[in-house]
């Protein structure tokens, strides 16, 4: 299995995952043109996408959903709540498939399992994506980490995890108080400390890649997020990377143990 974070942050989010002949996007929060360009930058094409899985209906996760679905005939998968919330903005889709939180969606070489997260939208989810040998978990846009969520993220081989803000920078930064409160609420975003706390409990021998994601451009700095994550993983041999807003990561391999 291979994956690339095509971009991450409040201006847009999308992750590419492939195994065998199956390829999907988690979210499409950039324009269709931008997603096509970023896929091309890792040697892949929108033509080969089998599906787009949507976490929730915020614009930074759905901007390109409608245009990609219609233009390239790509089915879109999400929860009932997200589909209801997304529809007015993404318009008619080539095909729309609803799943229940906790369902297992089988798509050729990939199995995709959604799980509930805590965010200020109708029915937001994260995903664990497997190919029968390795798994990748995607979890951003959550204000808290439940027991179930932690369980879903455990034992994965790759992890894309939210490190949204540095609490001090958020407090001292330009955001109005109401916005600050929303960010740090149970329905907002995980701070560096929150992300590091979760990560610490998830480290195991077969965890190879951890991508720090959805960093705030205003209230965080990649060095601070990395420092928090490094102290969480300790001596474990985990590759840590910060996902950028403007540039796709390389195509990263998740190898079988
Ligand atoms: Zn969101
Ligand atoms: Zn977001």
């Amino acid at each position: 299995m291979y994956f690339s974070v095509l971009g991450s942050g409040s201006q847009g989010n999308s992750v590419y995952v492939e195994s065998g002949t199956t390829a999907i996007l988690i979210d499409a929060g950039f324009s269709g043109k931008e997603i096509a360009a970023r896929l091309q930058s890792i040697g892949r094409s929108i033509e080969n996408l089998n599906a787009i899985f949507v976490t929730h209906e915020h614009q930074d996760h759905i901007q390109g959903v409608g245009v990609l679905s219609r233009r390239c005939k790509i089915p879109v998968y999400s929860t009932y709540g997200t589909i209801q919330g997304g529809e007015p903005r993404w318009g008619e889709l080539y095909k729309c498939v609803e799943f229940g939180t906790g369902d297992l969606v089988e798509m050729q070489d990939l199995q995709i399992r959604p799980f509930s997260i805590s965010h200020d939208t109708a029915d937001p989810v994260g995903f664990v994506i497997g190919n029968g040998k390795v798994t990748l978990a995607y979890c951003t846009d959550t204000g808290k980490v439940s027991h179930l969520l932690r369980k879903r993220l455990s034992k994965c081989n790759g992890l894309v995890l939210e490190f949204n803000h540095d609490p001090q920078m958020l407090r001292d930064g330009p955001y109005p108080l109401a916005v600050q409160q929303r960010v740090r609420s149970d329905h907002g975003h995980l701070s560096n400390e929150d992300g590091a706390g979760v990560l610490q409990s998830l480290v195991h021998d077969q965890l190879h890649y951890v991508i720090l994601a959805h960093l705030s451009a205003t209230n965080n700095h990649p060095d601070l997020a990395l420092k928090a994550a490094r102290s969480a993983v300790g001596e474990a041999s985990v590759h840590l990377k910060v996902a950028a807003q403007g540039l796709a990561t390389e195509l990263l391999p998740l190898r079988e143990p």
Side-chain angles (χ1 to χ4, degrees):
M1 186 153 78
Y2 288 84
F3 74 104
S4 164
V5 179
L6 300 179
S8 185
S10 61
Q11 300 303 306
N13 296 273
S14 188
V15 175
Y16 172 83
V17 187
E18 69 172 31
S19 182
T21 57
T22 313
I24 63 168
L25 289 183
I26 301 172
D27 292 335
F30 300 96
S31 70
K33 216 170 134 185
E34 186 62 31
I35 287 177
R38 292 190 188 204
L39 280 173
Q40 205 171 31
S41 79
I42 56 164
R44 294 299 185 265
S45 159
I46 45 172
E47 307 301 327
N48 299 326
L49 292 172
N50 296 92
I52 302 172
F53 283 77
V54 181
T55 59
H56 66 294
E57 67 271 27
H58 279 156
Q59 189 66 9
D60 57 321
H61 298 259
I62 66 165
Q63 193 194 342
V65 167
V67 66
L68 285 179
S69 175
R70 288 186 292 274
R71 193 175 299 161
C72 305
K73 297 191 164 50
I74 306 170
V76 174
Y77 288 70
S78 198
T79 60
Y80 174 78
T82 297
I83 291 167
Q84 294 303 304
E87 226 161 29
R89 278 170 291 147
W90 64 42
E92 199 170 326
L93 300 174
Y94 163 67
K95 189 178 168 194
C96 190
V97 184
E98 186 187 318
F99 56 70
T101 309
D103 287 358
L104 181 69
V105 183
E106 305 235 24
M107 177 156 295
Q108 301 167 43
D109 298 318
L110 291 174
Q111 300 92 41
I112 299 102
R113 188 184 287 283
F115 56 84
S116 253
I117 57 172
S118 177
H119 199 50
D120 52 357
T121 55
D123 194 4
V125 292
F127 294 106
V128 177
I129 300 144
N131 66 353
K133 292 166 189 138
V134 289
T135 57
L136 170 72
Y138 178 86
C139 180
T140 69
D141 298 74
T142 189
K144 66 175 182 200
V145 176
S146 64
H147 177 68
L148 177 71
L149 196 155
R150 204 181 287 264
K151 210 167 136 183
R152 288 280 174 267
L153 300 181
S154 66
K155 299 198 183 85
C156 59
N157 307 102
L159 176 61
V160 180
L161 182 62
E162 172 159 65
F163 278 66
N164 178 260
H165 58 277
D166 173 70
Q168 178 99 39
M169 284 180 76
L170 179 63
R171 229 177 357 254
D172 299 343
Y175 281 19
L177 191 58
V179 181
Q180 288 189 28
Q181 281 165 345
R182 184 251 154 193
V183 169
R184 70 168 77 94
S185 77
D186 279 358
H187 293 89
H189 294 274
L190 296 181
S191 69
N192 292 344
E193 291 162 12
D194 298 331
V198 184
L199 180 54
Q200 190 165 25
S201 68
L202 296 175
V203 173
H204 63 106
D205 283 354
Q206 302 300 323
L207 177 61
H208 296 308
Y209 277 104
V210 176
I211 313 298
L212 317 183
H214 219 298
L215 269 71
S216 167
T218 310
N219 302 308
N220 207 352
H221 190 283
D223 292 345
L224 291 174
L226 263 181
K227 194 176 159 202
R230 266 209 194 97
S231 68
V233 301
E235 299 298 305
S237 65
V238 179
H239 298 284
L240 292 175
K241 267 178 186 294
V242 177
Q245 181 69 90
L247 195 69
T249 66
E250 58 194 312
L251 202 53
L252 302 167
L254 289 179
R255 296 212 171 82
E256 298 162 32

